[in-house]
Amino acid sequence: MMAARNTVTSFGWLTRALHWGTAALVLAAMPLGLWIARAEISLSDLWLFGLHKSLGISVLVLTALRILWHKRSPPPDPLPAGPLADRLSRLVHRLFYAGLILMPLSGWIASSATGLDTVVFNRVTLPRIAPVSETWENAGFALHGTLGLVLIGLVVLHVVGAVSRAVGARDRTLQRMIGGR
């Protein structure tokens, strides 16, 4: 049985579950967010906003858990790919973590500023983290939209990097994130 903890050469099952769970939530929230940003709002579509908020808050929670977990069980060092590729990989990962925290927070701020509750999966109502204000609302949604585009770019870079390492460099980076070793 695979260990939950990371080792110096492998990812434990918990790190991999947090990675792929976050990825699934992001890949579900992104197209939904793009759709609702352009949709004409109707009462029959309001549940989609709630779903989007729930997915976003779930991303925030999983990202926080992942950061805490990596403090307790550090992930293995990345496999070397060359100085430029290694720097780009570190930069993309740092920007990813920032985006995975700032994106849901900006949505929560914007939603709070509208005066509408942020309810997670129709069960938990989160406290407002911004005053009801058109200025806060506009700034929050502007930041949320910009971060969304940045996050889409980071997803593309991340996937291209993973595939190019798996196919071109034929290293075990993707294998380690799928199977642990």
Side-chain angles (χ1 to χ4, degrees):
M1 183 169 151
M2 174 62 74
R5 294 183 67 85
N6 299 315
T7 69
V8 294
T9 60
S10 66
F11 292 102
W13 66 262
L14 186 52
T15 292
R16 289 182 289 117
L18 289 168
H19 173 272
W20 292 109
T22 303
L25 290 169
V26 167
L27 292 175
M30 278 183 172
L32 181 56
L34 290 170
W35 188 83
I36 63 176
R38 289 166 178 71
E40 277 192 43
I41 300 170
S42 70
L43 289 176
S44 63
D45 293 335
L46 285 181
W47 71 275
L48 294 172
F49 290 84
L51 177 60
H52 182 71
K53 290 177 187 183
S54 297
L55 294 172
I57 295 299
S58 298
V59 166
L60 181 63
V61 169
L62 285 185
T63 302
L65 289 173
R66 192 169 172 185
I67 291 167
L68 292 172
W69 175 244
H70 285 174
K71 296 270 186 217
R72 185 158 173 86
S73 181
D77 288 335
L79 299 174
L84 180 60
D86 290 346
R87 272 187 256 137
L88 183 59
S89 176
R90 277 192 303 276
L91 176 63
V92 168
H93 277 88
R94 285 182 183 129
L95 291 173
F96 241 134
Y97 276 101
L100 293 173
I101 293 168
L102 295 174
M103 183 75 177
L105 283 177
S106 66
W108 188 2
I109 287 167
S111 186
S112 294
T114 67
L116 299 174
D117 288 332
T118 299
V119 182
V120 181
F121 295 113
N122 293 322
R123 297 281 183 252
V124 178
T125 301
L126 300 179
R128 289 202 174 105
I129 59 171
V132 176
S133 156
E134 191 174 335
T135 302
W136 278 80
E137 177 184 349
N138 291 337
F141 281 125
L143 179 60
H144 195 66
T146 300
L147 288 170
L149 296 175
V150 169
L151 212 49
I152 289 169
L154 290 171
V155 167
V156 169
L157 282 174
H158 188 64
V159 170
V160 166
V163 170
S164 71
R165 289 187 75 155
V167 175
R170 295 184 187 206
D171 74 11
R172 295 178 31 259
T173 299
L174 186 57
Q175 263 181 303
R176 289 195 320 169
M177 191 44 76
I178 294 172
R181 296 187 180 267

